[in-house]
Amino acid sequence: MTFNYKDIRKDFPILDQKVNNRPWIYFDNAATSQRPLVVVEKIHEFSLQTNANIHRGTHFHAIKTTEAYENARDIVKEFLHAKEREEIIFTHGTTESINLVARSFCERFLSEGDEIIVTEMEHHANIVPWQMACERHHAKLKVLPFADNGNLETDLLESLISSRTKILAIAHVSNTLGTVNPIKEIIRIAHNHNIPVLVDGAQSVPHITIDVQDLDCDFFAFSGHKIYGPTGIGVLYGKRAWLDKMPPFLGGGEMIDKVTFEKTTFNELPHKFEAGTPHYVGAIGLGSAIEYIRKIGLENIAAYEHQLLTYASDKMKELGGMKFFGESPNKTGVICFQLDQIHPFDLGTLLDQLGIAVRTGRLCADPVMDHYEVTAMTRASFSFYNTMEEIDRFIDSLIRIQKMF
Amino acid sequence: MTFNYKDIRKDFPILDQKVNNRPWIYFDNAATSQRPLVVVEKIHEFSLQTNANIHRGTHFHAIKTTEAYENARDIVKEFLHAKEREEIIFTHGTTESINLVARSFCERFLSEGDEIIVTEMEHHANIVPWQMACERHHAKLKVLPFADNGNLETDLLESLISSRTKILAIAHVSNTLGTVNPIKEIIRIAHNHNIPVLVDGAQSVPHITIDVQDLDCDFFAFSGHKIYGPTGIGVLYGKRAWLDKMPPFLGGGEMIDKVTFEKTTFNELPHKFEAGTPHYVGAIGLGSAIEYIRKIGLENIAAYEHQLLTYASDKMKELGGMKFFGESPNKTGVICFQLDQIHPFDLGTLLDQLGIAVRTGRLCADPVMDHYEVTAMTRASFSFYNTMEEIDRFIDSLIRIQKMF
Amino acid sequence: MTIEEVQQAIIADFSVYEDWMDKYTYLIELGNELVPIDAAYKVDQNLIRGCQSRVWLQQKMEGDLLIFEAESDALIVKGLVALLMKVFSGRTPQEILDAEPYFIDEIGLRQHLSPTRSNGLMAMVKQIKLYALAYKQILSQKK
Amino acid sequence: MTIEEVQQAIIADFSVYEDWMDKYTYLIELGNELVPIDAAYKVDQNLIRGCQSRVWLQQKMEGDLLIFEAESDALIVKGLVALLMKVFSGRTPQEILDAEPYFIDEIGLRQHLSPTRSNGLMAMVKQIKLYALAYKQILSQKK
Ligand SMILES: Cc1ncc(COP(=O)(O)O)c(C=O)c1O
Ligand SMILES: Cc1ncc(COP(=O)(O)O)c(C=O)c1O
């Protein structure tokens, strides 16, 4: 085995602490991941040694910072297997990436009476921007549903598509159901109708190797903080053909070519979409996070996380009164569940008391709550730094809590 | 004197390094400031000990992180003397703050034929978003000019205002001319006509005590990285009355109340304008930066920086062939200049070779370049960690370079 | 019992438990014992905003006294609600306005139930005080 | 001199200077010596993009040889431009395409003049090669 979690734990000293007098167990990875020491140290070191605003600088630190920032772009480009570095836009997170497209793409390509397709399992970040765009442009939002087991009803896609469909936006992996959607197939179907596809990769990049050219997606969005990187940084990949045609999103420094009050012309990609001083420290941290996981190997990570998922699912099933939301055979290490009649808020509070962090609530996915007719869920989500022993303690804690009600 | 720069230098170890074999002199503070050790350490410490996604979390780290983030909001609120903490929106920088208003305010309040006023000395970040808004809404951008000495032609303001004027956007301090604009008076004039005012405070917050209630501005924007804080974080202050009326800017998690595909309702302030996972590490760092400068005292900082400005200006004037851009009696420590016929790029390159970082180019202010009919400028900008000795070396370097041409 | 006495009693009750899990067990007990409010009152307008679980709060005047009824779909929250009911329900508006629910701090609940924890305990106290203020004004106008 | 010889000569010239300030002085000298290009060619379409200073590049064919003329409003850049002219101007398209301007690295210019420094040295080399490619195709069609 190429994967030794004991070594891995050393990379994440933050995990080595007590919460409520018990060793901390962090099962809230789908909300945000922990950052390995190399990333924290990289940011620290950089912050102590190098700092200047980037681009157009003629001095040493400006050049060094610019190089570090642009080097991070190259790392992301390799990571996503994009064709050109100019197709990698640094944003502040998945949410901003999607909003960028929902504003700029729709401003150019969405007209009254047009349609946008999303799925029923989307995170709010991949619903609300499109709803807002539809409202601005008097267009219509259509929804591809999922089945109770958590699988998308891909068969229905053709029937949702019309000559007015302008874009399809879909999560690669659902943040509640864990389902890995067959996006390659979906992209193929959409492309048959000349419909571009935006993939929300927030929950897939930490677990699945991405090749945007092979997927042939038109846009791909993800967040740094979910992939062991810093907060406040994210990525939008977009095919040059689309990005070139879209009007800019934010106006400001760096994204312009020449400003006069009569007429402003815009800079080339990627700068056109990077207005203002970028979060260069964040980009550099993200680059170092990607290098870290490439060293571990995403296949190794995925394989181990699958073991965690299977082990946890099996053990949880053995408890009576366990209901799972999302049981696709093809899913990542995310388990949404309901135990007996215990309210998720109670369960989360008590698990926390026992040192275990899970997420409870509506998980930014109201339509998924509505689908199952529940007001809230409990979600345990695993990462490759979690262990089988932690799952054992999680199960024991569930048993203990079950008895309290 | 309450101010001892020798102590201050200890807070900024990054300054204590050589560039091109000479002790580094950082005179590019208007582009971005250096961060004191307490800020760097605060981020480092926090990153090593605490991390979880904020809001709606039931577990220990989520609560601790949320508290730290919301505490930063309180610090900003106090710093700006805002009335309510809900009026403080965390953004990713001045540029995003202005774009937020240019999108959301204009979507609601700007119609065909309306007008927006900016000034001729604005940074592109306070021009382009308004130009884009005018283009979207078929409105007109009007420009308040400045005189050659760098002072705004405030007298002309009344004549620019019409019944169609919907908003006025103005820099508190110009990033090229250094002029401190009489914004309180300008706001009073605008308010007489019921016109709200957005103040671009990017260049004022590091030097001038801000009281948004006293100024009575409607919006105030600034960036963390220019005020000794981290990159990727910024602030928009807005009066509740306006923020409540404006539609949301970005759609996503946290900014919603309830999402259905038929109808989405939005969350209360400030969440309504904070879609997605915020850059909580950045906000916490910004809070610590503000605490740091409050401890030093903005008055002390301003007084010392004024000494640096006067000293440098006087010495520079003694050199032959020196032309200044911006000579307002009321200015911050920013000096834009032209030495003989030496191209700013050459000057910047050679200064860098001598260990001195200045900014050269168009400074994100094309209209200022056009005003003086130059293609580029050289800018030296000072901060309270700079010293008289550094200015002496700067002057010596200018003399040396002057002889090379 | 006065508000003061009730708070002291609650503090005494909780002082028995050292382990937080036991305190929660006790809260769950209290939650289970709380009389459910009439389904007719479980409407959106009685929902307390900012809670992760749903909390309904309903009030009425009986003579000079303000009677509260409340419920939650989460049991721990229901237990907390039960405590607040003991403290605040059946009091005059003035008594409510004068009282600080310091027991929350004393039994260590605030740190576990801070506003940012979005369980809405604070939101609920605020709502109770708002009602008290409103009724006080109504009563003073009657006189 | 062949391209190779010119590059070697430049490297030799620069090897005299240890201090970068002296190298810059030399570059400024070279810049001052560069024959200015005709004002008629100083138009936007001849501007090299991505430079902080303005750099104009103009080309023509004389027989089999590609002649470049260039200028910049910044003197150091003009000096760099002069070096590139020595290397690339008056060569056949094929010679230009075959040549790598390794002298830039050797005299330590790349580190001081990286693409992100936006002085456009690299952009200029790219543009020169593009012209060479274009003329090569034109020439081969003529034959
Ligand atoms: C006056 C002014 N406004 C706006 C900005 C843009 O700030 P940021 O790049 O941090 O968004 C700057 C900084 O360059 C500035 O000086
Ligand atoms: C599927 C999915 N999309 C989008 C988002 C939003 O990401 P962020 O909050 O980093 O912008 C998330 C994270 O919660 C997610 O899980």
mmCIF file of all heavy atoms in Angstrom, chain D residues 31 34-38 41-42 46 48 54-59 67-73 77-78 80-82 84-85 89 124 128:
data_model
loop_
_atom_site.group_PDB
_atom_site.id
_atom_site.type_symbol
_atom_site.label_atom_id
_atom_site.label_comp_id
_atom_site.label_asym_id
_atom_site.label_seq_id
_atom_site.Cartn_x
_atom_site.Cartn_y
_atom_site.Cartn_z
ATOM 1 N N GLY D 31 21.113 52.216 -26.057
ATOM 2 C CA GLY D 31 19.803 52.812 -26.368
ATOM 3 C C GLY D 31 19.966 54.148 -27.046
ATOM 4 O O GLY D 31 19.302 54.445 -28.043
ATOM 5 N N LEU D 34 20.934 53.836 -30.698
ATOM 6 C CA LEU D 34 20.005 53.195 -31.645
ATOM 7 C C LEU D 34 19.378 54.254 -32.555
ATOM 8 O O LEU D 34 18.887 55.272 -32.093
ATOM 9 C CB LEU D 34 18.903 52.457 -30.877
ATOM 10 C CG LEU D 34 17.949 51.623 -31.739
ATOM 11 C CD1 LEU D 34 18.652 50.377 -32.277
ATOM 12 C CD2 LEU D 34 16.708 51.221 -30.943
ATOM 13 N N VAL D 35 19.427 53.977 -33.856
ATOM 14 C CA VAL D 35 18.832 54.914 -34.809
ATOM 15 C C VAL D 35 17.313 54.957 -34.580
ATOM 16 O O VAL D 35 16.667 53.910 -34.574
ATOM 17 C CB VAL D 35 19.120 54.452 -36.253
ATOM 18 C CG1 VAL D 35 18.607 55.493 -37.246
ATOM 19 C CG2 VAL D 35 20.606 54.206 -36.428
ATOM 20 N N PRO D 36 16.776 56.138 -34.388
ATOM 21 C CA PRO D 36 15.326 56.218 -34.145
ATOM 22 C C PRO D 36 14.556 55.775 -35.390
ATOM 23 O O PRO D 36 15.031 55.987 -36.506
ATOM 24 C CB PRO D 36 15.090 57.708 -33.870
ATOM 25 C CG PRO D 36 16.393 58.396 -33.980
ATOM 26 C CD PRO D 36 17.436 57.450 -34.437
ATOM 27 N N ILE D 37 13.423 55.181 -35.174
ATOM 28 C CA ILE D 37 12.660 54.781 -36.361
ATOM 29 C C ILE D 37 11.811 55.958 -36.817
ATOM 30 O O ILE D 37 11.519 56.877 -36.048
ATOM 31 C CB ILE D 37 11.790 53.513 -36.150
ATOM 32 C CG1 ILE D 37 10.586 53.781 -35.240
ATOM 33 C CG2 ILE D 37 12.614 52.370 -35.642
ATOM 34 C CD1 ILE D 37 9.649 52.585 -35.175
ATOM 35 N N ASP D 38 11.458 55.905 -38.057
ATOM 36 C CA ASP D 38 10.673 56.977 -38.670
ATOM 37 C C ASP D 38 9.370 57.176 -37.887
ATOM 38 O O ASP D 38 8.689 56.217 -37.536
ATOM 39 C CB ASP D 38 10.367 56.570 -40.114
ATOM 40 C CG ASP D 38 9.898 57.747 -40.923
ATOM 41 O OD1 ASP D 38 8.869 58.369 -40.513
ATOM 42 O OD2 ASP D 38 10.525 58.064 -41.930
ATOM 43 N N TYR D 41 6.219 55.263 -38.486
ATOM 44 C CA TYR D 41 6.033 53.885 -38.029
ATOM 45 C C TYR D 41 5.654 53.784 -36.552
ATOM 46 O O TYR D 41 5.365 52.714 -36.057
ATOM 47 C CB TYR D 41 7.301 53.066 -38.290
ATOM 48 C CG TYR D 41 7.622 52.913 -39.751
ATOM 49 C CD1 TYR D 41 8.857 53.253 -40.265
ATOM 50 C CD2 TYR D 41 6.647 52.416 -40.628
ATOM 51 C CE1 TYR D 41 9.134 53.116 -41.611
ATOM 52 C CE2 TYR D 41 6.913 52.278 -41.979
ATOM 53 C CZ TYR D 41 8.150 52.632 -42.467
ATOM 54 O OH TYR D 41 8.419 52.490 -43.794
ATOM 55 N N LYS D 42 5.735 54.899 -35.864
ATOM 56 C CA LYS D 42 5.383 54.863 -34.438
ATOM 57 C C LYS D 42 3.866 54.906 -34.280
ATOM 58 O O LYS D 42 3.310 55.867 -33.743
ATOM 59 C CB LYS D 42 6.016 56.051 -33.718
ATOM 60 C CG LYS D 42 7.500 55.874 -33.439
ATOM 61 C CD LYS D 42 7.950 56.962 -32.494
ATOM 62 C CE LYS D 42 9.407 56.844 -32.109
ATOM 63 N NZ LYS D 42 9.789 57.962 -31.234
ATOM 64 N N ASN D 46 2.059 48.995 -34.596
ATOM 65 C CA ASN D 46 3.430 48.488 -34.431
ATOM 66 C C ASN D 46 3.840 48.362 -32.959
ATOM 67 O O ASN D 46 4.965 47.979 -32.657
ATOM 68 C CB ASN D 46 4.419 49.399 -35.165
ATOM 69 C CG ASN D 46 4.345 49.192 -36.669
ATOM 70 O OD1 ASN D 46 3.924 48.138 -37.130
ATOM 71 N ND2 ASN D 46 4.734 50.209 -37.424
ATOM 72 N N ILE D 48 4.251 46.830 -29.344
ATOM 73 C CA ILE D 48 4.292 45.486 -28.763
ATOM 74 C C ILE D 48 3.467 45.515 -27.483
ATOM 75 O O ILE D 48 3.697 46.327 -26.586
ATOM 76 C CB ILE D 48 5.739 45.085 -28.407
ATOM 77 C CG1 ILE D 48 6.643 45.193 -29.636
ATOM 78 C CG2 ILE D 48 5.781 43.693 -27.803
ATOM 79 C CD1 ILE D 48 6.588 44.024 -30.558
ATOM 80 N N ARG D 54 6.569 52.000 -24.053
ATOM 81 C CA ARG D 54 6.086 51.718 -25.394
ATOM 82 C C ARG D 54 7.222 51.226 -26.260
ATOM 83 O O ARG D 54 8.307 51.791 -26.267
ATOM 84 C CB ARG D 54 5.435 52.969 -25.980
ATOM 85 C CG ARG D 54 4.105 53.269 -25.290
ATOM 86 C CD ARG D 54 3.430 54.453 -25.892
ATOM 87 N NE ARG D 54 4.253 55.648 -25.687
ATOM 88 C CZ ARG D 54 3.931 56.831 -26.192
ATOM 89 N NH1 ARG D 54 2.837 56.982 -26.917
ATOM 90 N NH2 ARG D 54 4.713 57.871 -25.953
ATOM 91 N N VAL D 55 6.992 50.155 -26.982
ATOM 92 C CA VAL D 55 7.987 49.588 -27.880
ATOM 93 C C VAL D 55 7.333 49.403 -29.243
ATOM 94 O O VAL D 55 6.277 48.776 -29.342
ATOM 95 C CB VAL D 55 8.500 48.221 -27.371
ATOM 96 C CG1 VAL D 55 9.543 47.654 -28.337
ATOM 97 C CG2 VAL D 55 9.076 48.333 -25.975
ATOM 98 N N TRP D 56 7.967 50.012 -30.240
ATOM 99 C CA TRP D 56 7.452 49.852 -31.602
ATOM 100 C C TRP D 56 8.396 48.960 -32.388
ATOM 101 O O TRP D 56 9.624 49.078 -32.282
ATOM 102 C CB TRP D 56 7.368 51.202 -32.321
ATOM 103 C CG TRP D 56 6.436 52.184 -31.686
ATOM 104 C CD1 TRP D 56 5.113 52.358 -31.977
ATOM 105 C CD2 TRP D 56 6.761 53.152 -30.680
ATOM 106 N NE1 TRP D 56 4.593 53.370 -31.213
ATOM 107 C CE2 TRP D 56 5.570 53.879 -30.411
ATOM 108 C CE3 TRP D 56 7.919 53.469 -29.966
ATOM 109 C CZ2 TRP D 56 5.520 54.904 -29.471
ATOM 110 C CZ3 TRP D 56 7.874 54.490 -29.034
ATOM 111 C CH2 TRP D 56 6.686 55.195 -28.787
ATOM 112 N N LEU D 57 7.828 48.096 -33.183
ATOM 113 C CA LEU D 57 8.635 47.195 -34.017
ATOM 114 C C LEU D 57 8.106 47.264 -35.441
ATOM 115 O O LEU D 57 6.912 47.086 -35.676
ATOM 116 C CB LEU D 57 8.548 45.752 -33.491
ATOM 117 C CG LEU D 57 9.290 44.702 -34.317
ATOM 118 C CD1 LEU D 57 10.797 44.897 -34.227
ATOM 119 C CD2 LEU D 57 8.915 43.298 -33.854
ATOM 120 N N GLN D 58 9.041 47.500 -36.372
ATOM 121 C CA GLN D 58 8.665 47.676 -37.777
ATOM 122 C C GLN D 58 9.594 46.772 -38.589
ATOM 123 O O GLN D 58 10.767 46.610 -38.257
ATOM 124 C CB GLN D 58 8.852 49.171 -38.093
ATOM 125 C CG GLN D 58 9.128 49.520 -39.516
ATOM 126 C CD GLN D 58 7.919 49.187 -40.382
ATOM 127 O OE1 GLN D 58 6.834 48.924 -39.881
ATOM 128 N NE2 GLN D 58 8.102 49.165 -41.689
ATOM 129 N N GLN D 59 9.088 46.151 -39.636
ATOM 130 C CA GLN D 59 9.922 45.226 -40.409
ATOM 131 C C GLN D 59 9.731 45.425 -41.913
ATOM 132 O O GLN D 59 8.733 45.961 -42.364
ATOM 133 C CB GLN D 59 9.613 43.794 -40.004
ATOM 134 C CG GLN D 59 8.480 43.130 -40.755
ATOM 135 C CD GLN D 59 7.176 43.895 -40.665
ATOM 136 O OE1 GLN D 59 6.907 44.581 -39.712
ATOM 137 N NE2 GLN D 59 6.349 43.804 -41.689
ATOM 138 N N ILE D 67 14.533 42.862 -42.394
ATOM 139 C CA ILE D 67 15.128 43.999 -41.686
ATOM 140 C C ILE D 67 14.157 44.503 -40.626
ATOM 141 O O ILE D 67 12.997 44.776 -40.940
ATOM 142 C CB ILE D 67 15.411 45.168 -42.662
ATOM 143 C CG1 ILE D 67 16.148 44.688 -43.913
ATOM 144 C CG2 ILE D 67 16.147 46.296 -41.941
ATOM 145 C CD1 ILE D 67 17.583 44.301 -43.676
ATOM 146 N N PHE D 68 14.641 44.605 -39.409
ATOM 147 C CA PHE D 68 13.794 45.161 -38.344
ATOM 148 C C PHE D 68 14.283 46.531 -37.930
ATOM 149 O O PHE D 68 15.496 46.810 -37.931
ATOM 150 C CB PHE D 68 13.812 44.248 -37.111
ATOM 151 C CG PHE D 68 13.112 42.947 -37.316
ATOM 152 C CD1 PHE D 68 13.833 41.774 -37.517
ATOM 153 C CD2 PHE D 68 11.723 42.888 -37.308
ATOM 154 C CE1 PHE D 68 13.182 40.566 -37.712
ATOM 155 C CE2 PHE D 68 11.071 41.677 -37.496
ATOM 156 C CZ PHE D 68 11.805 40.517 -37.698
ATOM 157 N N GLU D 69 13.333 47.357 -37.554
ATOM 158 C CA GLU D 69 13.674 48.615 -36.898
ATOM 159 C C GLU D 69 12.775 48.697 -35.677
ATOM 160 O O GLU D 69 11.595 48.330 -35.742
ATOM 161 C CB GLU D 69 13.394 49.792 -37.821
ATOM 162 C CG GLU D 69 14.336 49.842 -39.009
ATOM 163 C CD GLU D 69 14.020 51.020 -39.902
ATOM 164 O OE1 GLU D 69 12.808 51.307 -40.083
ATOM 165 O OE2 GLU D 69 14.958 51.663 -40.386
ATOM 166 N N ALA D 70 13.331 49.195 -34.600
ATOM 167 C CA ALA D 70 12.518 49.235 -33.379
ATOM 168 C C ALA D 70 12.942 50.395 -32.508
ATOM 169 O O ALA D 70 14.044 50.936 -32.645
ATOM 170 C CB ALA D 70 12.645 47.923 -32.620
ATOM 171 N N GLU D 71 12.057 50.761 -31.631
ATOM 172 C CA GLU D 71 12.378 51.856 -30.720
ATOM 173 C C GLU D 71 11.522 51.751 -29.469
ATOM 174 O O GLU D 71 10.482 51.104 -29.467
ATOM 175 C CB GLU D 71 12.126 53.199 -31.410
ATOM 176 C CG GLU D 71 12.889 54.326 -30.731
ATOM 177 C CD GLU D 71 12.638 55.666 -31.389
ATOM 178 O OE1 GLU D 71 12.465 55.714 -32.615
ATOM 179 O OE2 GLU D 71 12.599 56.659 -30.643
ATOM 180 N N SER D 72 11.967 52.428 -28.438
ATOM 181 C CA SER D 72 11.168 52.480 -27.213
ATOM 182 C C SER D 72 11.316 53.857 -26.595
ATOM 183 O O SER D 72 12.304 54.543 -26.827
ATOM 184 C CB SER D 72 11.640 51.427 -26.220
ATOM 185 O OG SER D 72 11.019 51.643 -24.965
ATOM 186 N N ASP D 73 10.330 54.263 -25.818
ATOM 187 C CA ASP D 73 10.475 55.561 -25.149
ATOM 188 C C ASP D 73 11.266 55.447 -23.848
ATOM 189 O O ASP D 73 11.636 56.454 -23.247
ATOM 190 C CB ASP D 73 9.120 56.247 -24.946
ATOM 191 C CG ASP D 73 8.108 55.353 -24.269
ATOM 192 O OD1 ASP D 73 8.431 54.187 -23.952
ATOM 193 O OD2 ASP D 73 6.971 55.810 -24.046
ATOM 194 N N VAL D 77 15.054 49.973 -22.168
ATOM 195 C CA VAL D 77 14.364 49.084 -23.105
ATOM 196 C C VAL D 77 14.926 49.292 -24.509
ATOM 197 O O VAL D 77 15.137 48.332 -25.253
ATOM 198 C CB VAL D 77 12.847 49.349 -23.079
ATOM 199 C CG1 VAL D 77 12.134 48.423 -24.051
ATOM 200 C CG2 VAL D 77 12.305 49.169 -21.674
ATOM 201 N N LYS D 78 15.206 50.535 -24.839
ATOM 202 C CA LYS D 78 15.789 50.834 -26.139
ATOM 203 C C LYS D 78 17.141 50.128 -26.287
ATOM 204 O O LYS D 78 17.472 49.617 -27.363
ATOM 205 C CB LYS D 78 15.990 52.353 -26.252
ATOM 206 C CG LYS D 78 15.696 52.917 -27.627
ATOM 207 C CD LYS D 78 15.570 54.433 -27.545
ATOM 208 C CE LYS D 78 16.083 55.118 -28.799
ATOM 209 N NZ LYS D 78 16.079 56.587 -28.641
ATOM 210 N N LEU D 80 17.948 47.320 -24.852
ATOM 211 C CA LEU D 80 17.628 45.909 -25.063
ATOM 212 C C LEU D 80 17.189 45.680 -26.497
ATOM 213 O O LEU D 80 17.567 44.697 -27.139
ATOM 214 C CB LEU D 80 16.497 45.487 -24.114
ATOM 215 C CG LEU D 80 16.848 45.527 -22.628
ATOM 216 C CD1 LEU D 80 15.595 45.372 -21.783
ATOM 217 C CD2 LEU D 80 17.849 44.423 -22.314
ATOM 218 N N VAL D 81 16.390 46.614 -26.978
ATOM 219 C CA VAL D 81 15.905 46.532 -28.341
ATOM 220 C C VAL D 81 17.092 46.564 -29.308
ATOM 221 O O VAL D 81 17.146 45.806 -30.282
ATOM 222 C CB VAL D 81 14.926 47.705 -28.598
ATOM 223 C CG1 VAL D 81 14.775 47.968 -30.080
ATOM 224 C CG2 VAL D 81 13.578 47.420 -27.940
ATOM 225 N N ALA D 82 18.058 47.402 -29.011
ATOM 226 C CA ALA D 82 19.243 47.495 -29.857
ATOM 227 C C ALA D 82 19.958 46.147 -29.938
ATOM 228 O O ALA D 82 20.403 45.719 -31.009
ATOM 229 C CB ALA D 82 20.192 48.566 -29.309
ATOM 230 N N LEU D 84 18.594 43.201 -29.553
ATOM 231 C CA LEU D 84 17.779 42.283 -30.356
ATOM 232 C C LEU D 84 17.927 42.604 -31.847
ATOM 233 O O LEU D 84 17.933 41.698 -32.690
ATOM 234 C CB LEU D 84 16.306 42.359 -29.935
ATOM 235 C CG LEU D 84 15.954 41.688 -28.601
ATOM 236 C CD1 LEU D 84 14.494 41.908 -28.256
ATOM 237 C CD2 LEU D 84 16.259 40.184 -28.652
ATOM 238 N N MET D 85 18.051 43.866 -32.151
ATOM 239 C CA MET D 85 18.236 44.253 -33.550
ATOM 240 C C MET D 85 19.551 43.689 -34.094
ATOM 241 O O MET D 85 19.603 43.143 -35.185
ATOM 242 C CB MET D 85 18.255 45.793 -33.679
ATOM 243 C CG MET D 85 16.923 46.483 -33.394
ATOM 244 S SD MET D 85 15.558 45.935 -34.454
ATOM 245 C CE MET D 85 14.817 44.663 -33.459
ATOM 246 N N SER D 89 18.140 41.464 -36.845
ATOM 247 C CA SER D 89 17.842 42.220 -38.053
ATOM 248 C C SER D 89 18.849 41.910 -39.148
ATOM 249 O O SER D 89 20.052 41.731 -38.883
ATOM 250 C CB SER D 89 17.839 43.722 -37.743
ATOM 251 O OG SER D 89 17.428 44.426 -38.897
ATOM 252 N N MET D 124 8.566 40.718 -27.642
ATOM 253 C CA MET D 124 9.208 41.223 -28.850
ATOM 254 C C MET D 124 9.873 40.092 -29.628
ATOM 255 O O MET D 124 9.761 40.020 -30.854
ATOM 256 C CB MET D 124 10.243 42.264 -28.456
ATOM 257 C CG MET D 124 10.705 43.046 -29.637
ATOM 258 S SD MET D 124 11.514 44.549 -29.104
ATOM 259 C CE MET D 124 12.415 44.891 -30.591
ATOM 260 N N ILE D 128 9.049 38.967 -33.426
ATOM 261 C CA ILE D 128 10.077 38.843 -34.462
ATOM 262 C C ILE D 128 9.983 37.480 -35.140
ATOM 263 O O ILE D 128 10.022 37.361 -36.368
ATOM 264 C CB ILE D 128 11.480 39.051 -33.836
ATOM 265 C CG1 ILE D 128 11.675 40.540 -33.509
ATOM 266 C CG2 ILE D 128 12.587 38.540 -34.758
ATOM 267 C CD1 ILE D 128 12.960 40.861 -32.753
#
